[in-house]
Amino acid sequence: MSLHAVVRKDFNDSIRSGAFLATTLLFVLVSGFWAAIQHVPQMYSNSEIPTSTLALLNSMGQPMAFFVPMLGLGISYAAIAGERDSGSIMLLLGLPNSRRDVVLGKFIGRCAVLTIAILSGYSVVAVFALVTYESFAAVKFLLYTVLTVCYGAVYVAIGIGFSSVMKSQETAFIGAAGLYVLFQLGWDVVTAILQTITVGYIPPESGAPPWLIVVHALNPTAAVGYATRAIIPTFDELMSYPVSASFYPPKWAGFAILAAWLVLSLGFGYRRFQSVDIL
């Protein structure tokens, strides 16, 4: 019963956040834009490019990669640090709630909020595509939507795990911003530097070494790309591998990497919160 109470309280607190509502609205608008932009080629009389679900999902990869981590980290970075900063953590633990209930309840509650944001954006896209596209592959779109929700849940877990280390909401915010930059930009920069040092700026014909590809694939954003190609194989026709190599991890490895990030982040958060002195 206590877990349910934590989930309900956390859901209500998170969904009323002004920053969350603003980011969700922006996500909806950007998603709708990428759905509408598929019609741009048809504005030219010589164009015979049809609107397709595959092209749409390929375009949707950009707002997904940019906004979903922002939403996930944005609603989770203060999950525990904010409670400690305000002192409300004492009240929360004064009720019949274990620390496991708090960590798990916050994860479930904020994943539910994130799911609403994602479904809001993707519902607009789906309706627009159904009404205006020549054809719409509902199953592929549904699979992609579920994968996006799972991808967001990974960043919620990362944010909660990180939040368990921070003592104030300000430092948690700075740290979350740093994590966002790391996953969206820093990881690729480090991979590029490692490639330049080990095999040169332009990889040889044999490609980059397998260990470098593994390093790149460990980024959740890269992992979701492999997972996407696993559930929608035709994505291979449109998507390219950022690091040139003759070795590619199996596509199912994307799911394993995402699951590892989620489980390890929550496990770390629970262990850290379990041992910390909150007085």
Side-chain angles (χ1 to χ4, degrees):
M1 185 65 180
S2 58
L3 175 61
H4 178 268
V6 174
V7 172
R8 183 175 59 186
K9 175 185 180 301
D10 212 62
F11 176 85
N12 291 333
D13 291 345
S14 299
I15 205 166
R16 289 195 294 262
S17 167
F20 168 76
L21 294 175
T23 308
T24 299
L25 177 60
L26 186 59
F27 178 66
V28 171
L29 293 175
V30 172
S31 298
F33 168 77
W34 284 111
I37 205 172
Q38 301 299 315
H39 287 284
V40 171
Q42 293 190 344
M43 295 180 182
Y44 300 90
S45 58
N46 296 329
S47 175
E48 297 180 358
I49 301 176
T51 51
S52 70
T53 306
L54 187 61
L56 169 64
L57 296 182
N58 185 55
S59 295
M60 287 296 297
Q62 298 182 45
M64 179 183 79
F66 181 79
F67 282 102
V68 172
M70 182 187 296
L71 283 166
L73 291 172
I75 65 175
S76 62
Y77 78 89
I80 295 176
E83 298 270 14
R84 293 182 66 186
D85 197 17
S86 65
S88 59
I89 191 68
M90 299 298 296
L91 176 61
L92 187 61
L93 291 176
L95 299 172
N97 300 321
S98 68
R99 298 197 183 196
R100 182 183 63 181
D101 291 335
V102 171
V103 173
L104 188 58
K106 286 182 175 296
F107 172 71
I108 295 174
R110 303 199 181 205
C111 280
V113 171
L114 181 66
T115 299
I116 290 176
I118 293 172
L119 292 181
S120 297
Y122 282 19
S123 295
V124 171
V125 173
V127 170
F128 185 90
L130 280 169
V131 172
T132 66
Y133 281 22
E134 297 177 10
S135 63
F136 180 70
V139 174
K140 288 183 179 179
F141 190 86
L142 178 61
L143 289 173
Y144 193 78
T145 301
V146 172
L147 180 60
T148 303
V149 171
C150 294
Y151 177 55
V154 170
Y155 278 97
V156 171
I158 292 173
I160 289 177
F162 179 79
S163 183
S164 67
V165 181
M166 299 293 102
K167 293 183 179 180
S168 70
Q169 186 163 328
E170 290 75 15
T171 56
F173 175 79
I174 295 172
L179 286 174
Y180 182 81
V181 173
L182 169 65
F183 289 124
Q184 294 300 305
L185 179 62
W187 204 290
D188 288 340
V189 171
V190 171
T191 303
I193 292 174
L194 289 174
Q195 175 178 299
T196 302
I197 293 174
T198 56
V199 297
Y201 179 73
I202 300 178
E205 292 184 3
S206 59
W211 66 266
L212 185 59
I213 306 303
V214 173
V215 169
H216 175 265
L218 289 177
N219 185 343
T221 301
V224 79
Y226 286 100
T228 301
R229 289 188 283 267
I231 62 174
I232 308 176
T234 47
F235 255 96
D236 275 325
E237 302 171 7
L238 300 177
M239 301 176 73
S240 61
Y241 293 83
V243 182
S244 177
S246 56
F247 165 78
Y248 301 115
K251 294 166 188 165
W252 58 261
F255 294 104
I257 293 170
L258 292 174
W261 273 106
L262 190 152
V263 173
L264 293 176
S265 297
L266 283 181
F268 171 78
Y270 170 67
R271 292 294 298 272
R272 181 67 178 81
F273 188 49
Q274 184 74 4
S275 61
V276 71
D277 183 5
I278 60 174
L279 297 177

